[in-house]
Amino acid sequence: MDSIYRTKTVDELTFTDNGMFQEVLRDPEICAELVERLLHVRVKHIEYPELEKTIAPYYTTKGVRLDVYLKDEDKIIDVEIQSYPQEALGKRTRYYQSMIDIDALMKGKNYPSLKDSYILFICKDDPFKDENEKYFALPCYTFSNICHENPQVNLNDKCVKVIYNASAYKAEKDERIRAFLRFIHTNEPGKDEFSNRLSALVEKVKDNDRFRRDYAAMNLHDFDITRAAKKEGIAEGERRKAIEDAKNALSLNLSVEQVSKITNLPLERIIELQAQTTFQCI
């Protein structure tokens, strides 16, 4: 499992890797072409893509960091790359959508002014299984709110979630999308002009000194966070074990002084545990 999530060197990066994906999509023309190809919508004008845009409306809420967040004249599009399976993809898209809407409305706008919204996930593997753990194996999953009683009734909330499964690229009927999904799944651009442009950009980015510095800094930051979390987890595990050992020792009628010495817990904490144990036995 560790090998799946290990940090790659710059030279090992592919288009689907975090950091590289965002760097390549810094080009508004590339971004627009990708969106038009996968969403079948016309992109008139793109505000320069915001990479890893963080939306955190209130300091008490969980913020969301979007891979590529861009705006057209009449639409907002969030593009996400998923190189490995993640839990609760549906709820993740739900939360992203809510944060995008809140971010828009915080700028003084009202509900009718909300732009059309698209959340686009590009997944290397199929994110959906049935109750028997069998993959649905569709190349594309498109979701919009419908009325169960009458599908002709349109909620008209202008929100669409599109999730591509690159592993099923062979089943995709659209030739241009099939070629792109094949590139995502195999990292081989083949004869597709757009995929070859993406592949060439990846190689160009690898030689960019600024990107290499930024990538190294990003990995160092992530490593520090992971190391701190792991250290905190180990400390919490040791504390819980010491408490459990203290409870067992107290059940053997050892003195609080003896238990404190055995477990290295403060005497005051042992006395608290003794009182809790006595109360539970009453």
Side-chain angles (χ1 to χ4, degrees):
M1 183 66 70
D2 290 341
S3 62
I4 297 176
Y5 302 102
R6 75 173 181 83
T7 299
K8 292 183 177 181
T9 66
V10 170
D11 293 328
E12 292 176 309
L13 294 178
T14 66
F15 175 66
T16 61
D17 287 310
N18 231 357
M20 180 60 74
F21 177 77
Q22 296 150 3
E23 184 69 18
V24 171
L25 292 189
R26 281 183 182 275
D27 185 329
E29 291 185 6
I30 291 290
C31 220
E33 186 166 348
L34 183 145
V35 166
E36 290 183 346
R37 180 177 292 213
L38 297 183
L39 294 182
H40 305 289
V41 296
R42 178 65 179 166
V43 177
K44 302 173 185 175
H45 166 75
I46 285 186
E47 292 183 23
Y48 197 79
E50 297 181 53
L51 306 181
E52 285 199 334
K53 176 181 175 67
T54 299
I55 299 176
Y58 308 104
Y59 72 92
T60 55
T61 64
K62 172 182 170 61
V64 56
R65 190 175 69 176
L66 308 177
D67 281 352
V68 179
Y69 182 79
L70 54 107
K71 298 178 182 179
D72 189 12
E73 294 176 354
D74 57 355
K75 63 182 71 71
I76 294 176
I77 304 167
D78 167 36
V79 186
E80 302 287 328
I81 191 73
Q82 183 171 289
S83 298
Y84 55 86
Q86 296 181 3
E87 294 183 354
L89 179 61
K91 291 183 178 179
R92 184 184 295 268
T93 64
R94 170 181 164 184
Y95 187 69
Y96 284 14
Q97 180 62 57
S98 66
M99 290 295 100
I100 289 171
D101 289 343
I102 289 173
D103 184 56
L105 288 178
M106 284 183 69
K107 298 181 168 113
K109 298 180 180 178
N110 51 28
Y111 299 124
S113 66
L114 283 174
K115 296 182 178 182
D116 292 5
S117 172
Y118 295 86
I119 295 180
L120 171 60
F121 265 79
I122 304 168
C123 304
K124 291 188 73 172
D125 300 301
D126 197 336
F128 298 111
K129 300 178 184 178
D130 63 18
E131 64 272 11
N132 297 316
E133 294 295 304
K134 181 180 179 181
Y135 290 106
F136 287 99
L138 295 177
C140 181
Y141 303 88
T142 303
F143 302 91
S144 56
N145 290 321
I146 63 169
C147 176
H148 290 275
E149 290 76 15
N150 186 345
Q152 292 183 348
V153 178
N154 191 346
L155 184 62
N156 204 30
D157 61 351
K158 303 297 184 181
C159 172
V160 179
K161 301 176 180 71
V162 179
I163 300 172
Y164 277 96
N165 163 30
S167 67
Y169 70 89
K170 293 180 181 178
E172 173 57 50
K173 296 180 179 179
D174 186 307
E175 182 179 352
R176 296 169 73 242
I177 295 178
R178 183 170 64 250
F180 174 76
L181 294 181
R182 179 184 180 278
F183 171 58
I184 295 296
H185 186 65
T186 67
N187 197 39
E188 295 293 333
K191 297 181 180 180
D192 180 57
E193 186 271 338
F194 181 60
S195 298
N196 274 279
R197 285 169 61 199
L198 293 176
S199 183
L201 278 172
V202 168
E203 296 307 313
K204 182 178 180 181
V205 168
K206 289 179 182 179
D207 292 330
N208 185 293
D209 289 337
R210 177 193 58 78
F211 174 78
R212 298 181 81 91
R213 289 194 303 269
D214 290 349
Y215 182 72
M218 178 184 70
N219 285 336
L220 182 61
H221 174 68
D222 290 346
F223 174 76
D224 288 341
I225 292 176
T226 302
R227 183 174 57 180
K230 187 179 293 185
K231 184 176 180 181
E232 183 177 330
I234 292 173
E236 177 63 16
E238 291 176 346
R239 186 187 69 83
R240 291 185 179 183
K241 186 179 184 303
I243 291 174
E244 191 63 29
D245 290 344
K247 290 179 179 178
N248 291 334
L250 288 170
S251 69
L252 296 175
N253 293 321
L254 296 179
S255 68
V256 292
E257 289 80 7
Q258 289 173 313
V259 175
S260 177
K261 186 174 182 179
I262 293 171
T263 62
N264 289 322
L265 289 174
L267 188 62
E268 295 79 6
R269 183 62 176 131
I270 303 301
I271 294 173
E272 290 176 3
L273 292 173
Q274 185 183 51
Q276 292 172 8
T277 303
T278 302
F279 178 77
Q280 289 172 357
C281 292
I282 296 176

